Amino acid sequence: MAELTDPRGVQGRCYPLSVFVAVALAGLLCGRNTPAEWARWAADAPDAVVRALGGIGLEVGGAAWWSLPSYNRLIEVLSLLDAAELARFAARIVPEDEDADGVRQVRIDGKRPVTAGRVTGDGSKLILVGALADGGRQADQILVDDGDEIAALRALCERLDAEGALVSADALHCNEETAKAVLEAGADYCLALKGNQPILHALAKALPWHEVDNACESRESGHGRTETRTVKILTAGGGVRLPFPGLAQIARIRWWTRDEATGEVTHHVMFYLTSRDARCLRPAWFAAAIRAHWGVESWHWTKDVVFGEDRSSATAGNRVANLASLRAAAIAILKRLGGKGVTASRDRIGNRPYTAPLAVLGIADIKQEFQVCLSRESRDSN
């Protein structure tokens, strides 16, 4: 928290800056998705919780009175925080989790908030480009308002501490400029190749895949369908060449999906290019990295469906970015807790909505007291 710049004037600092971020995270952890719900949570919080968070204490008629920021003040301060600083805060909220096999991967993908049309006025150019690190932790995030997701990825590469990492992205980013930006950041790329690069795609398709016998195969069943996936890998060099900077390996992924209800089978083929050679990224690791990239889609789904990001009414660009970073921080914390998933962890914390979030955040360990919950207005009238 000390690395966040306080956007308020000296005379406007009734509450420490940490209070605003702590209230938002506590609300997110126990199932409250919107700033209005966080403010209601703060308004009804027991005095012991308010004191632990750093609320203001007043004495009225001999009785002590503790309070946390109102909705208007909460949303004002959270919107004024520097978006880049808060994105880095979300990246550091839990320690980095190194994979046992030493392959550190950063998955980059963009998403368009539902509120984009209201933000930009013309319809659709606002894009959040996020970088997902291992363990469900946001590595960084950039908000672009000109629709240039490709340039945003390159900017992320300059900001990220990506040296030694494997940076993966979808087919939109499969171009020479992006590959060079990743390499200049001291990282290796892992980029999907589809028909949006017709010449490169045709050359990859024509490679001697029939001569490869190092295929990795997997099969999964669930949600009424069975998927069989094979991955073949070629090392660049000799007769295996593609005009792409730093290319070391090429993978071909083929998968068949069978609908158990109808028996219908669909077939797909995709290629991946990487600058990391086979000594550092063995075939099984390469296949795992390709599959792991799609964890970024699950991350977006969690933010949208579980945390309501797509239903957010935020309309200011900086507010959109900052609330997204706070959701990402909450997801990283919940994933670090383990258990049966983010939703299950939120439900468990929601059983003790005032004491459990503070314990998880390491702020205070307050004993749960069972009592009739009254709003502050009701308590005042009584």
Side-chain angles (χ1 to χ4, degrees), residues 302-318:
T302 300
K303 292 174 73 177
D304 287 340
V305 177
V306 179
F307 286 82
E309 187 159 285
D310 263 358
R311 298 188 298 275
S312 172
S313 60
T315 55
N318 205 52

Side-chain angles (χ1 to χ4, degrees), residues 150-232:
I150 297 175
L153 183 144
R154 296 171 194 159
L156 269 180
C157 288
E158 294 176 0
R159 281 177 26 172
L160 280 169
D161 179 16
E163 186 169 357
L166 185 68
V167 176
S168 60
D170 60 25
L172 174 66
H173 302 284
C174 189
N175 57 72
E176 292 188 5
E177 290 75 17
T178 296
K180 291 176 182 177
V182 174
L183 293 171
E184 288 171 0
D188 285 301
Y189 59 77
C190 180
L191 303 175
L193 172 61
K194 287 184 175 180
N196 62 321
Q197 294 280 356
I199 296 176
L200 204 59
H201 187 266
L203 291 173
K205 189 176 180 180
L207 291 173
W209 297 106
H210 62 281
E211 299 177 5
V212 180
D213 59 2
N214 66 338
C216 301
E217 183 173 325
S218 63
R219 180 173 296 177
E220 293 183 358
S221 297
H223 305 288
R225 62 185 183 183
T226 301
E227 183 177 280
T228 302
R229 180 183 298 248
T230 64
V231 181
K232 286 189 173 184

Side-chain angles (χ1 to χ4, degrees), residues 18-29 32 35 37-39 41-42 53 68-69 74 78 361 363:
S18 59
V19 171
F20 298 88
V21 177
V23 166
L25 289 177
L28 286 166
L29 290 176
R32 275 71 164 175
E37 291 174 323
W38 307 339
W41 179 93
L53 285 171
L68 291 168
L74 179 68
L78 292 178
L361 292 171
I363 294 173

Side-chain angles (χ1 to χ4, degrees), residues 51-68:
R51 290 196 299 270
L53 285 171
I56 296 175
L58 301 174
E59 187 172 329
V60 179
W65 184 264
W66 294 84
S67 69
L68 291 168

Side-chain angles (χ1 to χ4, degrees), residues 81-283:
L81 289 172
D82 183 270
E85 289 184 355
L86 195 59
R88 290 193 292 271
F89 169 82
R92 297 191 301 269
I93 196 72
V94 297
E96 185 173 353
D97 186 16
E98 294 286 351
D99 281 356
D101 58 14
V103 179
R104 184 165 67 94
Q105 186 170 354
V106 177
R107 311 151 185 88
I108 299 181
D109 192 32
K111 69 185 293 285
R112 194 180 306 281
V114 169
T115 55
R118 297 201 295 275
V119 176
T120 63
D122 63 356
S124 55
K125 292 188 176 180
L126 192 70
I127 298 177
L128 277 169
V129 183
L132 179 66
D134 297 319
R137 181 178 56 86
Q138 176 178 283
D140 205 342
Q141 174 184 269
I142 285 182
L143 180 75
V144 289
D145 59 7
D146 59 2
D148 193 349
E149 184 178 337
I150 297 175
L153 183 144
R154 296 171 194 159
L156 269 180
C157 288
E158 294 176 0
R159 281 177 26 172
L160 280 169
D161 179 16
E163 186 169 357
L166 185 68
V167 176
S168 60
D170 60 25
L172 174 66
H173 302 284
C174 189
N175 57 72
E176 292 188 5
E177 290 75 17
T178 296
K180 291 176 182 177
V182 174
L183 293 171
E184 288 171 0
D188 285 301
Y189 59 77
C190 180
L191 303 175
L193 172 61
K194 287 184 175 180
N196 62 321
Q197 294 280 356
I199 296 176
L200 204 59
H201 187 266
L203 291 173
K205 189 176 180 180
L207 291 173
W209 297 106
H210 62 281
E211 299 177 5
V212 180
D213 59 2
N214 66 338
C216 301
E217 183 173 325
S218 63
R219 180 173 296 177
E220 293 183 358
S221 297
H223 305 288
R225 62 185 183 183
T226 301
E227 183 177 280
T228 302
R229 180 183 298 248
T230 64
V231 181
K232 286 189 173 184
I233 298 170
L234 287 169
T235 299
V240 179
R241 295 186 181 277
L242 290 181
F244 204 75
L247 182 65
Q249 295 186 84
I250 310 150
R252 186 191 71 180
I253 302 94
R254 300 178 69 186
W255 69 98
W256 297 262
T257 303
R258 175 185 174 85
D259 189 305
E260 298 298 336
T262 64
E264 181 182 359
V265 177
T266 56
H267 175 242
H268 306 274
V269 179
M270 185 183 291
F271 299 95
Y272 271 84
L273 312 179
T274 184
S275 57
R276 186 163 292 188
D277 63 35
R279 292 171 299 175
C280 300
L281 191 68
R282 297 197 294 269

